[in-house]
Amino acid sequence: MTTYLIVQKDGNIKETTVKQFAEEDLYKKAGFRTSDGFALHATWSVDNVNRKNYNIQVYGKTDGRANQENKYEFPPPIDNTLFFGSCIILNRVGDVLSNLTSTEWSAIYDKLYGGFEDLNSEDESESDEDDGLPRTKSGYVKDGFIVEDDDDEDEDEDDDEDYDDDEDDAPKKKKRKVTKSVKKPVIKLKNKPKVSVPTSVFVVQETELDCTNELCEEEYVIE
């Protein structure tokens, strides 16, 4: 019994076994009714993975119906290839099929992508390099960039003072002036002279003008 992998369309990997390998029947193992379009799309020769060498082959179909796309992301050069339905991953040299488990494929997958760095190991190595160096009260290495806590407190005080200066520079509201009404003193004059005001500015003429002569009718003499 030989183990190989089926990559289902939802991206999950399933291990399966076969007694006798026949390449012409692989499309059936992937769940297709016909072999149309089902072919080999990639081959990788990977050496020294867990002290073993592999010759990986990927079979699949690039034509299919909507909503049947395979969601798994393969390594280059088929990282941008869109497959439909299930795909098959084999470890085969010539006509001889060798075992390939999901754990082995995971290690091969990482190597094909260039490997993933272990960030925790880097942190540990940096901490080892920093051992024996002078440190601050907070535990930081004195490398010219970290200052003491006292300096931090002084900076905080300076920041507070700067903040106060900013408040002084801020525009202040003008105070409204309140004016009080002052009563002017009334000056009373003693012995104020009385001024007589004529009741009428017009002078009444007592004598009447005789205008009767002008109004009299003249006598006409009839000849």
Side-chain angles (χ1 to χ4, degrees), residues 1-4 15-21 29 97-101:
M1 301 289 288
T2 307
T3 301
Y4 64 95
E15 293 183 3
T16 188
T17 57
V18 63
K19 292 182 179 180
Q20 295 180 351
F21 172 72
K29 304 296 182 181
L97 187 67
S98 300
N99 286 328
L100 179 64
T101 64

Side-chain angles (χ1 to χ4, degrees), residues 5-115:
L5 304 177
I6 297 178
V7 182
Q8 300 173 337
K9 66 177 183 178
D10 59 358
N12 293 324
I13 295 179
K14 177 183 177 182
E15 293 183 3
T16 188
T17 57
V18 63
K19 292 182 179 180
Q20 295 180 351
F21 172 72
E23 184 178 2
E24 60 273 12
D25 293 335
L26 285 178
Y27 73 93
K28 297 180 182 179
K29 304 296 182 181
F32 294 105
R33 294 181 180 179
T34 63
S35 60
D36 296 340
F38 192 84
L40 175 65
H41 288 275
T43 300
W44 296 285
S45 295
V46 185
D47 298 333
N48 194 21
V49 177
N50 297 328
R51 299 180 181 180
K52 291 180 64 175
N53 299 331
Y54 298 88
N55 189 58
I56 305 298
Q57 296 179 342
V58 175
Y59 288 81
K61 197 171 183 180
T62 56
D63 295 329
R65 296 178 299 175
N67 299 325
Q68 296 297 318
E69 297 87 351
N70 194 298
K71 298 180 180 179
Y72 190 79
E73 182 179 351
F74 286 93
I78 58 173
D79 51 330
N80 294 322
T81 302
L82 180 61
F83 292 99
F84 291 85
S86 297
C87 299
I88 291 180
I89 304 176
L90 305 174
N91 178 27
R92 186 177 70 166
V93 179
D95 293 333
V96 179
L97 187 67
S98 300
N99 286 328
L100 179 64
T101 64
S102 58
T103 302
E104 290 175 322
W105 168 245
S106 179
I108 295 170
Y109 186 93
D110 292 346
K111 187 168 184 177
L112 291 175
Y113 264 107

